[in-house]
Amino acid sequence: MDITAVASPARTVPRGLVPASVVLGGTLLSLIGLTWDIQWHSDVGPDTFFTMPHLFLYAGSAISGLASLAVVLMTTADTKRAKEVDPIVGGRAVGVFGRTFAAPVGYLISGVGAALFLVYGLWDQWWHGLYGFDAVIDSPPHIGLLLSISITMVGAVMIFAVARDQRWGTYGVAASAATLLAFSMVTVLGLRALPGGPVNTVNAGSAFFSVMILFMGAYVLKQRGGALTVAVVVAALQALFWWFSPWATEVYADATGLPLRDYADGIPGLPNMIPMSLVLVAIAVELLHKLPAWVSGAVGGVIITACAPLQRMLTYGSPFPNTERYIATVVAGAVLGALAGMLGRRFGHMLRHLVPAKENRHA
Amino acid sequence: MRRTLLGLAGTVALLLGLATPSLAFEPVNVVHTEKVQAGPYDLTVGFSTWPVKAMQSLDFTFAPEDGIAGKKGTLTMLHSGVAQDDGPLARHPRKREVWGLDIHAMPEPGTWTLRFDVEGPAGAGTGELKNLQVMEQPGPPMGLSWAISTIPLFGLIALIVIAWRRTRTTVE
């Protein structure tokens, strides 16, 4: 049975598409705000609570959070009236605070992420009061904020994974997983706080999260080209932000009458944190699909950690790291990549469970 | 659908409208100064908070007595005698008539040295601000701050564990 049959015949927009798109749109606003903010700090500098990049970040979580809240309240109202709740909208409803609220699981997660963003906003405000208006991206409260937005992004992946049997669900999984992947490349900067010995913890962490999210996308879509689709969307975001971030920064600086910093290099900050080798990794994953996930995951981890210093040489003209550090990081990339491959595959399977059981299937 | 789009457009318009007038950047308030002689150049190093504490951001200004015109140079920061960071002397974004660092935090407590290599019409010169004492960081220990900040991560891991246990069968 085609799952679209649950939608009413008069409906032109598939059921669940509008709130899912609003949540995804919110996460994209967060990503745009982040790339713009990072560029602003490196190329211009002066900061207040109300800069445009900050407003994009706040608006992103607010829009995703309000859309999630609206869906939860509507589902709760339907449940109280004993109306049938269609699980295509965000998955099965779970009880929150006993049975006070009935929340589709995808929207529950995206909404919780948005609520956490508010809480960590207060924590960040207190931090700035104590430490000054530091522009340090990897301060503990900033990592808390980034993790909160990531949870909203995980919720967005879940919301679209529910509808993976429909075309909008497939595209949505690719777009939301790509957004999460690109965003996570900033969150991993928090790993600088870990003692890594000779290992570059940020490069190893980038490899882990890239491979995991790529595998997750590939296994939830479970079709040839799934990993490549996610990687191509990431590459498209990377290319778009490569142009957008310096451009928007310069336009905003002009509009507010601020000059660019002396020696501002204009090299896009966030897009350059995304591994350019991701498409290669995706091709390797597609070619090695018959091998266990840990093998292709390890290959992916090696490709990303081996290419990361080359990317920095290409963009920043950085020197090549010393051999010990390079080899240690590539070995860590292989181990973490293998783990990420297995985890990503399992997460993909977990997301497939969100799809409502079809009537002719006895689960 | 149309109503949703209109709502979104309204929100964006409101945000755009509110963003511009509320931009008011803090001026640079120097509360403490030190003198450095870099060859023929008299430099005044200004600090917007004093004493300096680790991880607490402040504005630094570096002002040659006769201005920065026609001069360039490099700033090197040394911690216990080991170079940690260097870069060209750039104008302070909110005080363009002098060089400086905006909302910069010293990462570690201890004894720091700021070394200035300046080139200008009177030739090249090097000077150091030695024994810059950076106090311990304010606030809770970093371990506690990180524990509070990574709660969402552990929440996510808990969710994954629950979902893992409930999804042992494979779905085609």
Side-chain angles (χ1 to χ4, degrees):
Chain A
M1 183 189 117
D2 192 320
I3 201 126
T4 49
V6 294
S8 98
R11 186 179 285 275
T12 49
V13 180
R15 195 171 175 80
L17 172 58
V18 171
S21 305
V22 176
V23 171
L24 176 63
T27 61
L28 278 168
L29 278 185
S30 300
L31 185 60
I32 292 168
L34 187 63
T35 187
W36 192 357
D37 196 38
I38 289 173
Q39 205 64 35
W40 177 261
H41 285 295
S42 72
D43 290 358
V44 184
D47 203 22
T48 71
F49 188 77
F50 289 110
T51 62
M52 278 290 278
H54 285 179
L55 288 175
F56 267 70
L57 280 163
Y58 311 146
S61 280
I63 289 170
S64 299
L66 289 174
S68 307
L69 182 65
V71 172
V72 169
L73 292 178
M74 285 161 75
T75 310
T76 304
D78 285 350
T79 310
K80 301 244 186 237
R81 285 194 218 115
K83 269 176 73 177
E84 197 183 334
V85 174
D86 189 347
I88 196 73
V89 185
R92 273 162 290 210
V94 293
V96 182
F97 301 129
R99 300 224 170 250
T100 313
F101 296 100
V105 66
Y107 288 99
L108 175 63
I109 302 302
S110 58
V112 165
L116 281 171
F117 182 86
L118 278 180
V119 175
Y120 279 97
L122 293 174
W123 169 227
D124 190 43
Q125 192 77 351
W126 178 82
W127 185 272
H128 284 310
L130 192 63
Y131 288 97
F133 221 129
D134 57 330
V136 185
I137 183 73
D138 55 350
S139 71
H142 284 173
I143 295 299
L145 285 167
L146 296 178
L147 285 170
S148 304
I149 298 173
S150 303
I151 288 182
T152 298
M153 290 177 171
V154 169
V157 175
M158 292 168 72
I159 290 165
F160 283 103
V162 174
R164 68 174 165 83
D165 288 343
Q166 300 185 39
R167 188 176 291 175
W168 69 266
T170 307
Y171 291 146
V173 166
S176 54
T179 307
L180 174 63
L181 196 157
F183 194 84
S184 301
M185 297 304 102
V186 182
T187 315
V188 295
L189 293 180
L191 296 173
R192 281 198 286 224
L194 287 181
V199 175
N200 182 325
T201 51
V202 172
N203 284 355
S206 303
F208 177 78
F209 283 101
S210 301
V211 170
M212 189 172 74
I213 297 167
L214 212 56
F215 270 71
M216 183 186 75
Y219 277 90
V220 70
L221 295 175
K222 216 173 184 180
Q223 57 195 36
R224 291 303 302 275
L228 195 56
T229 308
V230 175
V232 166
V233 178
V234 174
L237 285 172
Q238 187 178 28
L240 180 69
F241 290 152
W242 202 279
W243 159 78
F244 171 81
S245 311
W247 172 81
T249 299
E250 209 169 326
V251 167
Y252 188 44
D254 282 348
T256 48
L258 287 167
L260 293 183
R261 283 184 193 279
D262 293 341
Y263 310 106
D265 55 22
I267 297 168
L270 181 144
N272 203 24
M273 295 173 200
I274 301 171
M276 291 175 177
S277 56
L278 204 65
V279 173
L280 279 181
V281 176
I283 292 170
V285 170
E286 298 292 348
L287 293 176
L288 304 174
H289 73 281
K290 287 190 176 152
L291 294 176
W294 69 267
V295 177
S296 37
V299 171
V302 167
I303 293 174
I304 290 172
T305 44
C307 293
L310 305 179
Q311 183 171 330
R312 290 189 68 84
M313 286 167 77
L314 186 73
T315 52
Y316 286 115
S318 304
F320 195 77
N322 73 52
T323 315
E324 186 203 1
R325 189 167 171 79
Y326 183 68
I327 291 172
T329 307
V330 172
V331 170
V335 174
L336 289 171
L339 181 66
M342 290 190 292
L343 284 175
R345 176 175 172 274
R346 187 68 174 79
F347 293 166
H349 286 153
M350 280 153 68
L351 287 167
R352 294 177 74 79
H353 275 268
L354 290 170
V355 180
K358 294 176 185 174
E359 280 173 14
N360 58 354
R361 184 196 293 160
H362 301 284
Chain B
M1 180 73 181
R2 189 179 297 168
R3 198 180 295 170
T4 314
L5 288 176
L6 276 174
L8 276 179
T11 310
V12 171
L14 200 61
L15 288 173
L16 288 174
L18 287 173
T20 321
S22 49
L23 281 172
F25 300 107
E26 285 277 317
V28 179
N29 293 318
V30 173
V31 299
H32 178 85
T33 58
E34 298 277 346
K35 291 281 183 191
V36 174
Q37 190 68 40
Y41 309 106
D42 279 335
L43 280 177
T44 303
V45 181
F47 302 84
S48 67
T49 60
W50 191 263
V52 179
K53 292 179 185 167
M55 296 174 57
Q56 193 174 50
S57 58
L58 65 148
D59 289 301
F60 292 76
T61 57
F62 314 120
E65 201 172 64
D66 52 350
I68 57 172
K71 301 188 186 74
K72 60 177 184 172
T74 310
L75 167 67
T76 310
M77 292 183 158
L78 303 99
H79 184 234
S80 304
V82 182
Q84 301 287 324
D85 198 7
D86 62 23
L89 284 163
R91 284 175 291 176
H92 192 292
R94 284 174 288 125
K95 199 171 169 64
R96 302 274 289 172
E97 66 278 17
V98 297
W99 292 317
L101 297 171
D102 60 316
I103 50 173
H104 179 83
M106 307 302 280
E108 300 276 343
T111 306
W112 285 78
T113 301
L114 306 185
R115 181 190 296 156
F116 300 90
D117 295 294
V118 182
E119 279 178 50
T126 297
E128 289 186 342
L129 174 62
K130 289 180 177 162
N131 292 325
L132 172 63
Q133 293 302 320
V134 176
M135 325 274 279
E136 288 289 332
Q137 61 155 111
M142 284 305 276
L144 179 62
S145 297
W146 278 115
I148 293 170
S149 297
T150 48
I151 291 171
L153 178 65
F154 292 105
L156 193 58
I157 292 171
L159 172 77
I160 289 167
V161 170
I162 295 167
W164 191 297
R165 291 163 68 108
R166 290 186 181 182
T167 54
R168 292 201 187 274
T169 53
T170 305
V171 176
E172 284 310 312

